[in-house]
Amino acid sequence: MIASRRAARQAGPPVTAPKPAPPTHRVLPVGEESHTHNPTEVEASKKAKQRRKRRRRGASRVPDRAIVFVGPMAAGKTSLGRRVAKELAVPFVDSDVLFVREHGAITDFFAAHGEPEFRRIEAEIIAAELAKPGTKILALGGGAVLTESTRQLLAQYPTILLMTTQDAVLRTANLSRRPLLRDDPSAWGRILAERKPLYLEVANVTFRTDRAGKEQLTKRVVQWVKAYGRKERANARRSTTERGREVSMDEKKERE
Ligand SMILES: Nc1ncnc2c1ncn2[C@@H]1O[C@H](COP(=O)(O)OP(=O)(O)OP(=O)(O)O)[C@@H](O)[C@H]1O
Ligand SMILES: O=C(O)C1=C[C@@H](O)[C@@H](O)[C@H](O)C1
Ligand SMILES: [Mg+2]
């Protein structure tokens, strides 16, 4: 059976078979690329392999847990977070989106149950998301840092603060989706003044989103994340070696 299938494969299609359709520039699904001998498709396959290799290399340099984005309303957590996640080929999660999925619109929830109940559930959602293994970009709601337990958890995660100015927000953000700002534009600055110390307490680094375009910022944040991952791995290797040395010193002492 196997021999006959091999023979059929070696024999190729019957001479009378209709001519196959001309090759197209279709991008082949992952895993199918190596079954072609068409030069265009071979080239596409090579490029796909290189891309996967680059992604694996990139992924191995990023921290193996959540990378968190914090910052004031409309600073760019969602738009930049999505871009950075795409570039690193890791999932993007937004705590506001998780909340809405479970409990409906945030403004309605505030009106019906009040802010303290919102903060309690928000903190639970964030803690559960941080506890899940694997690299991801996690964007937090603008007020998540108000909760102390969340701030304490963030001490164990690379945390990026996105900062901007009220002028930039009023220029770029869609105010119809932000009724608080539409009705009282100076609310943004007042809220930021109250929260700034909390943002700075949890952040490992700050990027200004009003001073550079999204593309340039994405590159800079990706570079920072990779450098953070490299440093963390180097530190882990160093402390393993040091622990190894301590053990062998102890063994030596015991033998003496
Ligand atoms: N670097 C940038 N340059 C110009 N515009 C930007 C930049 N970053 C974000 N924006 C714009 O600012 C607006 C707010 O961005 P985004 O919704 O990502 O902010 P956010 O921090 O997620 O807001 P929220 O706190 O409401 O969730 C969007 O219109 C976005 O396109
Ligand atoms: O700044 C805030 O307090 C908030 C920001 C949003 O991301 C939402 O989490 C919610 O609207 C509260
Ligand atoms: Mg957002």
Side-chain angles (χ1 to χ4, degrees):
M1 172 70 180
I2 292 173
S4 66
R5 233 190 273 151
R6 194 180 301 137
R9 249 204 325 266
Q10 279 165 357
V15 263
T16 52
K19 211 171 163 210
T24 63
H25 290 265
R26 181 168 72 95
V27 177
L28 292 173
V30 172
E32 278 184 23
E33 310 89 331
S34 57
H35 304 305
T36 175
H37 294 289
N38 176 304
T40 316
E41 294 188 352
V42 167
E43 192 52 32
S45 148
K46 259 195 213 156
K47 285 195 175 144
K49 264 189 200 155
Q50 282 165 353
R51 258 198 314 274
R52 282 203 301 276
K53 209 168 161 186
R54 264 203 307 274
R55 278 191 184 168
R56 272 201 302 273
R57 261 207 314 266
S60 71
R61 271 185 265 148
V62 304
D64 57 358
R65 59 197 189 288
I67 297 138
V68 184
F69 279 53
V70 296
M73 211 189 317
K77 301 180 290 293
T78 300
S79 51
L80 194 62
R82 254 188 230 294
R83 282 165 174 258
V84 170
K86 192 169 172 209
E87 196 61 33
L88 293 172
V90 301
F92 172 75
V93 183
D94 192 314
S95 71
D96 282 343
V97 174
L98 296 181
F99 184 94
V100 171
R101 208 177 283 161
E102 285 283 312
H103 305 277
I106 295 176
T107 32
D108 296 345
F109 191 94
F110 261 64
H113 306 281
E115 181 171 348
E117 183 59 3
F118 170 78
R119 295 292 169 211
R120 190 187 66 73
I121 299 174
E122 179 185 48
E124 268 181 16
I125 289 175
I126 293 168
E129 209 43 55
L130 290 175
K132 290 183 198 160
T135 308
K136 74 185 124 199
I137 301 294
L138 175 62
L140 303 192
V145 294
L146 291 169
T147 307
E148 197 190 344
S149 61
T150 300
R151 295 201 302 278
Q152 281 172 1
L153 278 179
L154 292 185
Q156 298 157 41
Y157 296 84
T159 302
I160 296 168
L161 169 60
L162 297 185
M163 194 47 86
T164 182
T165 62
Q166 185 167 290
D167 283 351
V169 166
L170 297 180
R171 249 193 337 265
T172 56
N174 178 357
L175 294 190
S176 64
R177 278 184 40 232
R178 295 178 167 89
L180 187 63
L181 292 185
R182 190 188 49 207
D183 300 342
D184 178 10
S186 63
W188 191 92
R190 276 204 310 277
I191 297 172
L192 175 62
E194 286 165 22
R195 294 178 181 172
K196 200 167 177 182
L198 305 179
Y199 289 133
L200 293 173
E201 178 189 323
V202 297
N204 297 98
V205 66
T206 303
F207 288 93
R208 292 284 301 254
T209 57
D210 59 321
R211 293 188 181 167
K214 290 179 193 170
E215 219 163 282
Q216 195 192 350
L217 269 171
T218 305
K219 275 191 197 142
R220 285 169 51 202
V221 174
V222 165
Q223 264 171 12
W224 182 86
V225 170
K226 288 182 177 171
Y228 187 98
R230 272 197 302 272
K231 256 185 246 158
E232 204 169 54
R233 269 160 220 272
N235 287 343
R237 273 199 300 275
R238 204 170 306 133
S239 62
T240 312
T241 318
E242 276 162 14
R243 266 203 307 278
R245 259 191 238 120
E246 275 168 30
V247 170
S248 54
M249 287 292 280
D250 288 347
E251 280 168 359
K252 209 170 146 200
K253 273 190 215 140
E254 270 170 28
R255 265 188 261 123
E256 279 167 2

